Amino acid sequence: VPLPCMSLSLRILDVSHNELEFLPDFQRHHTMPDQLKVFNAGNNHLREIDSAFIHRLKALEVFIIETNLIEQLPPLGSLSGTLMMLWAGQNRIKEIPVSVGKLTKLVSLRLDRNLFQKVPVEVGMCERLQDINLLNNPHMYQPPPEMLVRGPAALLAFMQRLLQASCTHSREVDNAADVSAEELEAELFAEQSLNDDQEEEY
């Protein structure tokens, strides 16, 4: 990526389908346009996204880094007021940061084909989500794979209930020690399935 180009008043930057292994050092080169709204670095060989890069993007709405070799998402809290689309599927991500829950304007979240085990319950705070893709994550147990076929609305509702139940149990200190996260999730999943069955009958 030629650094002189980065000083322009860009709104859309698409560097997808190349063989990029890294992005410029934005701690040393302060040339990233502050008004960039769309950044697409999909289909490259990137292994990481530096946190300094994220902090420079004050107006980012679309962040696409799918089909790379990324193992860890950067902190995303600084994008809480702008980001609407996060596509990071087909990587090697092992953990989803809790800061994803701060992305309250998020509409589309795609994390398919990664290596993480669970999605943090804080995703339930992203109330505007309409598109959620968590398919083909072989190690994932939260949410249960059975929930993925029920559609974005049901999946978001499940995460919201899991978040609410988690907060409730954390306040009830005496009872919290007797209830594991897995037991709580299984209970909510069974209840959700029962509700869905009853709705189909009507």
Side-chain angles (χ1 to χ4, degrees):
V1 181
L3 287 175
C5 294
M6 308 296 270
S7 61
L8 302 177
S9 298
L10 293 176
R11 296 294 186 273
I12 300 175
L13 177 59
D14 188 342
V15 294
S16 63
H17 294 87
N18 286 288
E19 297 182 358
L20 298 179
E21 296 183 358
F22 60 90
L23 296 174
D25 185 353
F26 291 98
Q27 290 182 327
R28 187 162 53 92
H29 302 287
H30 301 285
T31 54
M32 196 66 183
D34 291 337
Q35 297 304 311
L36 191 71
K37 293 184 179 296
V38 178
F39 179 75
N40 184 355
N43 290 273
N44 280 292
H45 299 158
L46 299 175
R47 295 183 179 274
E48 63 179 354
I49 303 293
D50 191 81
S51 59
F53 170 81
I54 295 296
H55 289 308
R56 293 288 299 174
L57 305 178
K58 305 297 184 182
L60 193 67
E61 297 178 358
V62 177
F63 188 34
I64 301 175
I65 52 173
E66 59 187 1
T67 315
N68 276 287
L69 304 172
I70 298 169
E71 296 185 1
Q72 183 178 2
L73 285 175
L76 300 168
S78 61
L79 303 177
S80 60
T82 61
L83 195 65
M84 301 175 64
M85 179 186 295
L86 173 59
W87 289 7
Q90 300 187 57
N91 276 289
R92 300 176 180 178
I93 299 170
K94 299 178 181 179
E95 184 177 0
I96 306 302
V98 175
S99 59
V100 170
K102 297 181 179 180
L103 305 176
T104 55
K105 291 191 175 182
L106 202 63
V107 176
S108 179
L109 176 64
R110 298 188 180 182
L111 298 170
D112 53 298
R113 300 181 186 275
N114 277 288
L115 302 176
F116 57 85
Q117 295 184 348
K118 66 177 183 177
V119 176
V121 297
E122 286 79 7
V123 167
M125 300 170 62
C126 303
E127 298 180 349
R128 299 187 183 185
L129 275 174
Q130 300 176 16
D131 170 38
I132 310 175
N133 188 348
L134 300 174
L135 295 172
N136 298 304
N137 287 297
H139 306 300
M140 188 180 72
Y141 63 84
Q142 175 182 296
E146 295 85 353
M147 283 299 305
L148 304 184
V149 298
R150 295 176 181 265
L155 182 56
L156 179 59
F158 176 78
M159 296 303 293
Q160 289 172 336
R161 297 188 64 194
L162 192 62
L163 174 63
Q164 182 179 9
S166 177
C167 293
T168 300
H169 282 290
S170 67
R171 290 194 297 266
E172 297 173 357
V173 179
D174 293 337
N175 296 331
D178 298 327
V179 181
S180 67
E182 290 78 8
E183 291 172 334
L184 178 60
E185 182 177 329
E187 178 182 341
L188 289 176
F189 176 67
E191 184 178 343
Q192 182 75 40
S193 299
L194 179 60
N195 291 339
D196 291 344
D197 293 340
Q198 291 176 343
E199 290 178 0
E200 290 177 1
E201 291 178 0
Y202 288 115

